């Protein structure tokens, strides 16, 4: 609190509420991560296969020609099957390329599913093109942005959930999950 007893975040104690919200999000993430770690490798693979088949069979996926997909970390739904399918169907695949020492990330074009294993590993143990590897970006050509984005999502905030694109993607994923 600043002099005069006012909360620096504004009236109504917003700073305290924001701190409580951050703590609740951290607790939720910790619990979700604990649950993921408790799953056996066989169960993670089973769920990844099921989800991949549902995504591949979904009309939004089948209609999309340019798809941005995150390469999976160990405790996430594995995306290899989806990536292989994209190339078999002649779709364009874009993967993350994080800029060092910043929060900037571009989704850059992958030339083949097999190329992934030859890409350098990041500190998170995820393959990505090196910093000096210049590639087509998903948003580089007007009117040709990725039409579907597959993201790893542990949980989401209300702010993100208000985004039209996020809601549309979540509706697609929810319909896939309900069919499982």
């Amino acid at each position: 609190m600043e002099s005069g007893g006012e909360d620096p975040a504004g009236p109504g104690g917003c700073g305290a509420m924001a701190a409580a919200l951050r703590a609740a999000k951290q607790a939720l993430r910790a619990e979700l991560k604990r649950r993921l770690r408790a799953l056996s490798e066989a169960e993670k693979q089973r769920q990844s296969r099921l989800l991949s088949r549902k995504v591949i069979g979904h009309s939004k996926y089948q209609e999309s020609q340019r798809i941005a997909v995150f390469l999976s970390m160990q405790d996430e739904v594995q995306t290899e099957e989806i990536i292989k399918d994209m190339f078999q169907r002649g779709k364009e695949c874009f993967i993350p390329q994080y800029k060092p020492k910043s929060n900037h990330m571009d989704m850059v074009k992958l030339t083949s599913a097999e190329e992934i294993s030859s890409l350098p590993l990041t500190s998170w143990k995820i393959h990505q093109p090196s910093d000096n590897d210049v590639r087509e970006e998903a948003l580089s050509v007007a009117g040709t942005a990725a039409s579907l984005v597959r993201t790893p999502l542990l949980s989401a905030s209300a702010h993100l959930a208000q985004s039209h694109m996020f809601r549309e993607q979540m509706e697609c994923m929810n319909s896939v999950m309900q069919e499982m």
Side-chain angles (χ1 to χ4, degrees):
M1 298 270 176
E2 297 185 324
S3 61
E6 291 183 26
D7 189 319
C14 291
M17 287 191 319
L21 180 60
R22 277 191 301 277
K25 285 168 116 177
Q26 284 179 328
L28 176 61
R29 284 190 176 112
E31 174 61 18
L32 291 172
K33 286 179 181 180
R34 184 194 65 73
R35 289 182 185 187
L36 284 172
R37 282 191 302 269
L39 293 175
S40 69
E41 283 304 312
E43 180 60 15
K44 289 178 194 175
Q45 289 175 4
R46 185 188 75 77
Q47 289 187 24
S48 287
R49 280 191 307 275
L50 282 173
L51 186 58
S52 292
R53 288 182 194 135
K54 293 292 183 179
V55 167
I56 289 167
H58 199 280
S59 60
K60 292 264 188 201
Y61 172 85
Q62 292 178 6
E63 294 164 5
S64 299
Q65 288 304 307
R66 294 170 57 91
I67 301 174
V69 62
F70 284 76
L71 301 180
S72 5
M73 293 179 68
Q74 184 177 6
D75 284 339
E76 295 172 342
V77 171
Q78 299 301 298
T79 56
E80 289 88 5
E81 190 174 329
I82 296 169
I83 293 170
K84 287 177 184 175
D85 184 79
M86 281 192 272
F87 284 104
Q88 289 171 354
R89 293 174 187 254
K91 297 177 182 291
E92 292 179 274
C93 178
F94 296 85
I95 61 170
Q97 183 182 42
Y98 297 94
K99 303 300 179 194
K101 299 178 183 163
S102 79
N103 290 329
H104 185 81
M105 177 192 73
D106 290 317
M107 296 302 283
V108 297
K109 193 168 185 177
L110 187 65
T111 59
S112 72
E114 296 75 26
E115 178 190 17
I116 295 170
S117 62
S118 68
L119 297 173
L121 284 172
T122 67
S123 58
W124 296 300
K125 306 280 190 260
I126 301 173
H127 291 280
Q128 79 166 28
S130 64
D131 302 337
N132 58 358
D133 187 348
V134 179
R135 294 170 180 251
E136 178 184 340
E137 295 177 24
L139 300 175
S140 65
V141 180
T144 61
S147 51
L148 185 65
V149 179
R150 163 57 180 95
T151 63
L153 185 64
L154 190 56
S155 63
S157 68
H159 174 72
L160 177 62
Q162 290 178 14
S163 154
H164 173 71
M165 183 175 169
F166 176 79
R167 283 195 316 269
E168 195 173 279
Q169 296 293 322
M170 288 308 294
E171 286 171 13
C172 172
M173 291 305 294
N174 285 337
S175 68
V176 166
M177 295 301 287
Q178 288 171 358
E179 294 169 10
M180 288 181 75

